[in-house]
Amino acid sequence: MLLLITTFLVTLVTTAYLYVKYVFSYWKRRGLPFVQPTLPYGGFGPVFRKEKGFSQHLHDLYRSSDAPILGIFASIRPALLIRDPKVIRDILIKDFQHFWHRGFHYDESVDPLAGNLFSQSGDKWREMRTKLSPAFTSGKLKAMFETIVECGKPLEKHLKKLAAKNKEVEVRDIFARFTTNVIASVAFGIEIDCFENPDDEFKKYAWRFFEPKFKHVIRFNLSFFSPFLMKLFKVRFADKDVEEFMKDTIKKNLDYREKNSISRKDFFQLLVQVRNTGNVVDDGADWTTKATNDPKSMSLDDIAAQAYDFFIAGYESSSTTMSFCLYELCRDPETKDKAYEEIVNVLQKHDGHLSYESLSEMKYLDNCIDETLRLHPPFEFISRECTKDYRVADTNVVIENGTPIFISVTGPHYDSKYYTEPERFNPDRFKDDLNVNKNSQTMPFLSFGDGPRNCIAARLGKIQSKIGVCLLLKKFSFELGEQHINKPLILNPMSGVRAPISGIKLKVQPR
Ligand code: HEM
């Protein structure tokens, strides 16, 4: 009996060993340079050991090689890091039909809020993207502009109080409250004030997603590394109580608007329009929501999932951009003065009114935001999954269906091949719209992704970030806090977006 068990165990271990050895030779067999894997994490040991964040690790892998395409192992799953801008463009744009999937695995039956545009794949994604794209036209953004600027009032009021105390302020926290107010308003259609009510219920539930907890790191990594374990353990992105709160908020608001035929110019209204009619209203048409007993498309769960997605994708990204922008301006006071002068001059021309038009005239501020996004992209990597075997142009490399694809955003952004003095904050690089996605061959710019699956709300993200920085620079003067003088920022490896461990602290005074 003992002999039988021993033989069985030896066979099992030997088979497992040979299997893993075979899997780990995958890229070698295909003649690609690759990162030597180890069990159980493949090429991602430092991430699981909490030594580095996922994005930082991809950035370091980018820098460690010259290969256009680098084989890696996500645990025992063969994956690829694409380094070459031409191959990146082929994958994201030209040959997108081979790379539909974001490669993010979730189970809608246990986690309905995760069934949103960001995570969906295939036809579901295409249909949803087609339905939602008209909600992000410049006409719609123009119509929502005043709603966003309104959210700036509590921001200014709060900063006035802090500036009077002559203390350093944590700008990440301040901008996070501002964007929470904005997205609660435009995506959920509710007005909240996270400055006056720091314990606001919506904020409490909504912020949970980005809390830098090890549990969040694990579920994020599993979603890429092991769809099987995600399903097996029914891993959720949104906790059950968060899901219930979000759905309840949506339901109450929907009932209220339908009962009272309320019209408000926000995304929530547009989501309800899609539910009731199948389409977003045309620019300039009546936005009023009329009650329906016969929804044409989108269930209540769908609306909740999309609104939650807009929050998750939009709040940290924009607040991170504003915070880093102020930080970089303070590090280089010449740029700060130039941005301030432009704001004053443009507003003077428009009788002090911050409108869609006056904001569009602030070109230097626009360049500052682009340069901030280059140096500090909130989402530091882009992912796709191959959905149909694909041969990389001018090579014999075939990417097999199901292979996860990673692209480091900071890799090319910090590469001196594409940007001279890449570590320097230099908004003039983007003068006269020099590049941003137009000239991506010479200066790859990936902060909003690219191709049919790029950020659907890139314009809104920029507008919101410009508004935040403009409102504060106009009324207050900022300087670096003591902790940042001559010291680099240390990034938090546990954070889902680019975030310094110590936050961003600035001295603030009224002008
Ligand atoms: C400065 C602010 C923002 C940045 C830097 C940013 C960046 C990104 C990036 C890198 C992606 C992935 C693109 C790709 O895979 O090619 C993305 C996708 C997305 N973003 Fe943004 N984003 C910002 C603001 C927003 C806002 C305000 C919203 C919503 C209100 C939003 C909604 C989305 C959605 C829904 C997707 C998924 C699109 C799809 O898969 O079809 N983003 N964003």
Side-chain angles (χ1 to χ4, degrees):
M1 186 65 179
L2 190 66
L3 184 69
L4 204 69
I5 294 174
T6 313
T7 314
F8 174 73
L9 286 178
V10 169
T11 313
L12 194 74
V13 171
T14 312
T15 312
Y17 171 78
L18 291 175
Y19 173 70
V20 171
K21 204 170 165 215
Y22 180 72
V23 171
F24 279 173
S25 68
Y26 184 87
W27 293 122
K28 196 173 177 193
R29 281 181 274 126
R30 279 169 170 68
L32 262 194
F34 65 99
V35 179
Q36 199 63 49
T38 50
L39 267 179
Y41 308 124
F44 286 85
V47 178
F48 280 91
R49 288 193 297 272
K50 294 198 259 177
E51 292 159 15
K52 282 184 204 173
F54 193 88
S55 320
Q56 181 62 45
H57 187 54
L58 288 181
H59 177 89
D60 290 348
L61 291 179
Y62 175 97
R63 291 178 80 89
S64 71
S65 168
D66 269 340
I69 303 172
L70 188 64
I72 44 178
F73 289 87
S75 186
I76 56 167
R77 263 185 107 188
L80 284 171
L81 174 71
I82 311 294
R83 294 184 68 264
D84 182 71
K86 154 98 177 55
V87 186
I88 291 177
R89 279 196 312 280
D90 285 354
I91 286 179
L92 296 182
I93 310 169
K94 187 166 120 331
D95 299 317
F96 175 73
Q97 69 275 19
H98 292 260
F99 300 95
W100 283 86
H101 199 334
R102 191 173 289 291
F104 213 64
H105 291 267
Y106 65 96
D107 184 348
E108 213 168 322
S109 65
V110 288
D111 193 6
L113 291 191
N116 56 49
L117 189 69
F118 192 87
S119 339
Q120 280 168 333
S121 57
D123 289 342
K124 259 190 168 175
W125 168 79
R126 191 206 284 271
E127 275 169 33
M128 193 55 82
R129 178 95 188 191
T130 309
K131 276 181 204 159
L132 295 183
S133 289
F136 292 89
T137 59
S138 30
K140 299 290 187 317
L141 297 181
K142 223 168 168 175
M144 285 181 221
F145 192 86
E146 285 302 323
T147 313
I148 303 176
V149 173
E150 263 312 289
C151 296
K153 287 186 182 155
L155 167 73
E156 288 181 47
K157 196 170 137 203
H158 183 71
L159 220 73
K160 206 168 156 190
K161 277 193 223 157
L162 295 178
K165 291 184 189 155
N166 210 6
K167 277 192 182 163
E168 290 188 2
V169 295
E170 214 307 44
V171 283
R172 289 195 85 245
D173 177 66
I174 289 169
F175 280 130
R177 290 179 202 214
F178 168 59
T179 51
T180 302
N181 288 354
V182 171
I183 305 207
S185 174
V186 296
F188 284 79
I190 53 171
E191 279 174 32
I192 60 169
D193 183 351
C194 297
F195 294 107
E196 281 297 310
N197 311 310
D199 297 325
D200 180 89
E201 274 228 298
F202 181 87
K203 170 180 171 258
K204 192 179 86 187
Y205 285 108
W207 280 25
R208 200 177 307 159
F209 186 87
F210 280 109
E211 282 170 8
K213 286 188 175 162
F214 192 52
K215 170 182 141 185
H216 296 176
V217 176
I218 292 292
R219 77 177 173 198
F220 169 82
N221 290 342
L222 274 186
S223 83
F224 285 118
F225 290 12
S226 183
F228 170 74
L229 291 181
M230 284 292 283
K231 259 195 171 333
L232 186 70
F233 294 117
K234 298 191 184 312
V235 179
R236 304 170 61 99
F237 279 95
D239 296 338
K240 188 76 189 153
D241 58 335
V242 173
E243 179 194 320
E244 277 163 10
F245 176 82
M246 295 297 164
K247 282 202 223 164
D248 189 49
T249 306
I250 294 286
K251 172 136 185 43
K252 280 186 190 144
N253 202 10
L254 177 69
D255 289 347
Y256 172 73
R257 289 201 186 184
E258 288 199 334
K259 259 189 212 132
N260 301 292
S261 284
I262 296 283
S263 165
R264 189 173 182 270
K265 300 212 159 162
D266 56 25
F267 286 117
F268 183 75
Q269 194 89 7
L270 298 174
L271 288 173
V272 177
Q273 295 287 354
V274 177
R275 169 186 182 262
N276 292 4
T277 66
N279 296 305
V280 166
V281 287
D282 289 336
D283 287 1
D286 180 14
W287 290 40
T288 308
T289 300
K290 291 155 192 98
T292 181
N293 292 321
D294 174 27
K296 298 286 178 294
S297 61
M298 287 181 95
S299 60
L300 198 74
D301 276 7
D302 285 334
I303 299 189
Q306 302 314 329
Y308 184 63
D309 183 26
F310 290 171
F311 185 84
I312 298 300
Y315 116 95
E316 269 283 74
S317 50
S318 306
S319 65
T320 299
T321 306
M322 295 176 222
S323 315
F324 276 114
C325 185
L326 272 192
Y327 167 79
E328 289 295 346
L329 291 173
C330 288
R331 286 184 71 203
D332 183 350
E334 219 174 281
T335 57
K336 187 176 62 180
D337 294 346
K338 209 168 154 186
Y340 171 67
E341 276 159 30
E342 182 187 66
I343 292 170
V344 171
N345 290 337
V346 171
L347 288 181
Q348 242 168 23
K349 253 174 67 189
H350 291 262
D351 299 326
H353 187 51
L354 181 59
S355 60
Y356 188 86
E357 288 71 22
S358 57
L359 194 80
S360 314
E361 279 179 36
M362 296 178 192
K363 299 283 182 217
Y364 187 71
L365 186 58
D366 210 72
N367 300 156
C368 292
I369 298 289
D370 284 340
E371 178 66 340
T372 303
L373 284 167
R374 180 189 69 83
L375 275 176
H376 305 288
F379 301 124
E380 297 170 275
F381 75 94
I382 296 168
S383 64
R384 294 288 184 269
E385 189 171 295
C386 180
T387 43
K388 196 164 40 150
D389 286 4
Y390 173 74
R391 197 161 74 78
V392 180
D394 310 322
T395 71
N396 291 326
V397 180
V398 173
I399 305 179
E400 284 190 317
N401 182 8
T403 310
I405 307 287
F406 297 109
I407 296 164
S408 167
V409 173
T410 45
H413 283 194
Y414 278 78
D415 193 331
S416 56
K417 248 196 277 174
Y418 312 117
Y419 291 95
T420 41
E421 294 186 88
E423 310 274 336
R424 201 179 129 224
F425 179 71
N426 175 13
D428 286 334
R429 295 178 205 278
F430 296 103
K431 212 161 125 188
D432 308 322
D433 287 338
L434 252 183
N435 93 64
V436 186
N437 289 347
K438 286 184 194 140
N439 214 354
S440 53
Q441 229 143 343
T442 46
M443 291 160 78
F445 185 85
L446 293 164
S447 300
F448 290 109
D450 214 338
R453 226 182 155 157
N454 70 350
C455 176
I456 194 169
R459 262 183 302 185
L460 173 68
K462 275 190 69 174
I463 288 177
Q464 187 175 269
S465 307
K466 271 178 92 176
I467 292 177
V469 174
C470 170
L471 289 176
L472 294 198
L473 267 191
K474 180 179 79 159
K475 294 221 167 135
F476 305 95
S477 64
F478 293 90
E479 272 174 50
L480 281 187
E482 290 300 329
Q483 67 174 24
H484 300 307
I485 297 175
N486 297 326
K487 287 201 191 105
L489 291 176
I490 313 280
L491 299 177
N492 188 345
M494 306 271 272
S495 174
V497 289
R498 188 172 174 94
I501 287 186
S502 54
I504 296 182
K505 296 214 173 98
L506 302 180
K507 291 178 204 153
V508 55
Q509 284 194 323
R511 284 205 189 261

